[in-house]
Amino acid sequence: MSNPHDTVFDSLQPHAERLRQLPIARLIADDAARPKDFALRVGPLYASFARQHYDRPTLDALFEIAEAADLMQAVRRLFDGHLVNVTEGRAALHTALRSDLSDIDHVRDASAQARAARARMATMVEELLASGVTDVVSVGIGGSDLGPRLVADALADAVGGPRVRVHFVSNVDGNAVRRTLARLDPANTAAILISKTFGTQETLLNGTVVRDWLQNDSRVYAVSANVQRAADFGIDEHRILPMWDWVGGRYSLWSAVGFPIALAIGMEGFERLLSGAADMDAHVLATPLRDNVAVWHALTAIWNRNAMHAASQAVLPYDERLRLLPNYLQQLVMESLGKSARLDGAVLAGHTVPVWWGGAGTDTQHSFFQALHQGTQIVPADFIGVIRADHAHDSNHAALLANLLAQTEAFANGQASDDPHRAYAGNRPSTLLLLDVLTPESLGALIALYEHSVYLQSVLWGINAFDQFGVELGKQVANKLLPALQGDIDADDPVTRALLSEIRRRS
Ligand code: F6P
């Protein structure tokens, strides 16, 4: 018997067929109200879907799918702390870290715990700032690194310059920690070890190097859901901030995992980030499907993947300060949605997440945009721009925005030529997300939009957005191979054996 989730997108196929004859430029030319009707404003964020390759009848079909999947109810379940992470029997309450939108007791309790942790964090931020520390090394990886790294980098100037300089060390490659420490003086440096599990190899190894280099345990802090392990590592419990199993690592920058953010932009800036995300939460929870920006974004993703068969998705921030957004989104989106089993364990027949990748414009125009304009694969793109600059270089900013608008236009419209080498087929779909200005609030809203879109995509695909069993196998094999790298034991796998012997010969 066929599975409802395998056939749920069948209604889209006739639209995909029909639109093959109707390029994006034609859809725009034939529907004067499209630029306005295919766009939404939510606080500081304007989202235009007018250059996606769908039309009104297609949107009707997409919203019917959203209706049938009861997306609004799914959002309610998330906010109300249902066990949406079914494979691990957990809630995913990142919204409780920043919003107060549920009456359910255990969610209110979660919010209260988050507030208490923030109060402790505020005290630690003050202490550290008053202590004369000028630099902080934040050690963590994945969700314990990418969010704080993105936000601290993006907002350091927007809120009046760094309070302390924050440096991030994630990679187990010793060059990462060596390079970072080489620039610092242990006399005015502190360290934060961030790990939900406090069992992550990279963080424990780098954390040990940094702790030994500091030679001052009173300046080592931790953030973890496993306080005992952090204490066993030698960190004083007074300097350990909690997190909880009801927050997924890649959704955790709003918790004490954001400690480095608060150090870089101040506690007030951190609270403003949370309030921007809370505004997006309120919008997503309360706004009907047709006016809900996260629903539009998620349906667009499903359309491009399951009806138009796009195998990859680009994310192209036109703002140097958002250059780390693609890295951050790679984990958020691909670790959440890179699944091939449904919630009930059945294997999915269709495709889930495409490959997400990207980089900041305009640099990327001079690297991979050639392939986006004329390559044989169509890559849908999210362009992100900021309307008002925070610098005095007006001509640069005008050029930046001109390039941003030009690219979205050129992708959609293309340009005919008798010379195939000089022809642009166009018909490349894109979404444009415009922030009024880059503030903690607008960045909080943007990130929260992506979080909600990811969750909604998972509901539409019938998969769990909150586990990540796919990353475990590699860790297990690496643990098994570590003794072989450090001694003479051999590996079971013949190819690994040959590689080990080559490594030993050349070491
Ligand atoms: O890469 C797998 C993963 O478990 C991520 O989901 C997580 O964000 C990262 O490792 C770091 O984990 P931890 O915070 O427990 O050190």
Side-chain angles (χ1 to χ4, degrees):
M1 203 179 80
S2 79
N3 197 314
H5 271 276
D6 297 341
T7 54
V8 76
F9 305 123
D10 285 356
S11 65
L12 299 177
Q13 297 317 321
H15 294 279
E17 282 296 316
R18 187 171 51 77
L19 289 167
R20 250 183 263 289
Q21 313 306 323
L22 286 171
I24 299 170
R26 256 290 292 289
L27 298 174
I28 294 171
D30 290 351
D31 183 352
R34 182 181 168 109
K36 206 170 118 278
D37 290 356
F38 284 36
L40 295 94
R41 167 156 295 284
V42 182
L45 185 142
Y46 178 81
S48 172
F49 298 91
R51 289 197 169 113
Q52 284 295 337
H53 196 184
Y54 46 46
D55 58 5
R56 290 174 197 264
T58 315
L59 281 175
D60 289 342
L62 283 166
F63 281 105
E64 262 170 41
I65 290 173
E67 198 82 61
D70 210 348
L71 287 193
M72 294 317 292
Q73 192 50 39
V75 174
R76 187 78 256 177
R77 282 203 307 275
L78 179 82
F79 278 79
D80 279 348
H82 287 230
L83 303 183
V84 289
N85 179 352
V86 292
T87 55
E88 297 177 302
R90 293 175 187 168
L93 274 173
H94 43 285
T95 49
L97 299 170
R98 60 210 188 199
S99 297
D100 214 359
L101 294 166
S102 175
D103 291 331
I104 304 294
D105 282 346
H106 75 95
V107 179
R108 301 194 75 77
D109 185 47
S111 287
Q113 289 181 58
R115 271 195 303 277
R118 269 207 307 284
R120 281 189 62 208
M121 186 166 105
T123 313
M124 289 183 193
V125 170
E126 260 172 47
E127 262 169 30
L128 264 168
L129 294 180
S131 72
V133 159
T134 55
D135 294 86
V136 171
V137 181
S138 177
V139 181
I141 197 163
S144 295
D145 170 70
L146 290 162
R149 197 190 277 257
L150 161 69
V151 177
D153 188 52
L155 295 178
D157 329 304
V159 287
R163 306 307 196 261
V164 292
R165 289 182 291 268
V166 185
H167 312 265
F168 292 90
V169 175
S170 54
N171 198 334
V172 79
D173 179 354
N175 285 303
V177 70
R178 179 188 60 78
R179 278 188 172 176
T180 305
L181 298 186
R183 290 182 272 140
L184 301 174
D185 177 354
N188 46 34
T189 302
I192 311 171
L193 274 58
I194 307 178
S195 175
K196 182 175 171 183
T197 55
F198 227 82
T200 303
Q201 183 188 50
E202 291 93 331
T203 303
L204 295 181
L205 285 168
N206 283 327
T208 304
V209 174
V210 175
R211 183 193 61 191
D212 294 352
W213 172 86
L214 261 183
Q215 301 223 322
N216 181 348
D217 288 352
S218 72
R219 291 232 210 89
V220 183
Y221 294 74
V223 180
S224 184
N226 197 327
V227 173
Q228 190 53 53
R229 275 198 193 158
D232 292 347
F233 186 86
I235 300 172
D236 189 307
E237 286 204 26
H238 291 105
R239 287 191 302 279
I240 303 175
L241 288 167
M243 64 180 291
W244 310 272
D245 69 1
W246 44 262
V247 185
R250 54 193 174 273
Y251 299 84
S252 67
L253 71 89
W254 325 99
S255 71
V257 168
F259 192 8
I261 301 175
L263 286 165
I265 70 170
M267 199 60 203
E268 195 201 327
F270 185 67
E271 295 285 355
R272 288 174 56 196
L273 179 82
L274 267 49
S275 89
D279 289 346
M280 182 56 72
D281 288 342
H283 164 82
V284 174
L285 184 63
T287 310
L289 294 174
R290 290 255 177 188
D291 298 315
N292 192 312
V293 69
V295 174
W296 273 80
H297 194 270
L299 289 175
T300 302
I302 299 290
W303 167 253
N304 282 324
R305 184 65 176 130
N306 299 105
M308 304 306 257
H309 308 297
S312 94
Q313 161 77 39
V315 52
L316 307 167
Y318 269 60
D319 191 302
E320 183 69 8
R321 297 165 298 177
L322 295 176
R323 67 195 160 164
L324 297 179
L325 186 66
N327 308 38
Y328 168 80
L329 288 180
Q330 279 182 326
Q331 189 204 12
L332 178 67
V333 183
M334 291 169 74
E335 199 171 83
S336 298
L337 301 175
K339 314 283 163 70
S340 29
R342 286 167 26 85
L343 291 173
D344 61 8
V347 175
L348 271 151
H351 281 298
T352 58
V353 77
V355 173
W356 276 60
W357 59 287
T362 58
D363 281 359
T364 48
Q365 290 177 198
H366 302 271
S367 58
F368 56 71
F369 267 44
Q370 165 64 35
L372 296 187
H373 281 288
Q374 287 187 320
T376 52
Q377 278 198 44
I378 291 196
V379 181
D382 276 11
F383 284 87
I384 295 139
V386 177
I387 296 174
R388 297 203 297 272
D390 277 313
H391 55 71
H393 310 294
D394 294 347
S395 308
N396 287 57
H397 193 59
L400 178 72
L401 291 185
N403 275 283
L404 167 64
L405 296 179
Q407 292 298 333
T408 58
E409 194 180 303
F411 274 137
N413 299 350
Q415 185 172 279
S417 167
D418 291 340
D419 176 355
H421 298 289
R422 292 176 170 77
Y424 299 81
N427 211 21
R428 267 82 173 143
S430 65
T431 291
L432 178 54
L433 301 173
L434 275 178
L435 304 179
D436 289 341
V437 61
L438 190 67
T439 59
E441 289 87 350
S442 65
L443 183 58
L446 178 72
I447 296 172
L449 162 61
Y450 274 105
E451 285 182 347
H452 287 303
S453 173
V454 162
Y455 172 60
L456 293 175
Q457 290 172 59
S458 79
V459 174
L460 291 162
W461 278 322
I463 58 177
N464 183 359
F466 303 108
D467 64 11
Q468 59 282 322
F469 294 112
V471 300
E472 293 307 322
L473 176 61
K475 292 184 196 172
Q476 283 164 24
V477 180
N479 281 337
K480 241 175 54 193
L481 288 178
L482 187 56
L485 259 310
Q486 290 173 325
D488 289 331
I489 314 163
D490 245 331
D492 298 334
D493 181 275
V495 178
T496 307
R497 232 177 5 248
L499 294 169
L500 272 173
S501 99
E502 189 62 20
I503 289 170
R504 283 181 189 137
R505 224 187 345 264
R506 308 290 289 185
S507 292

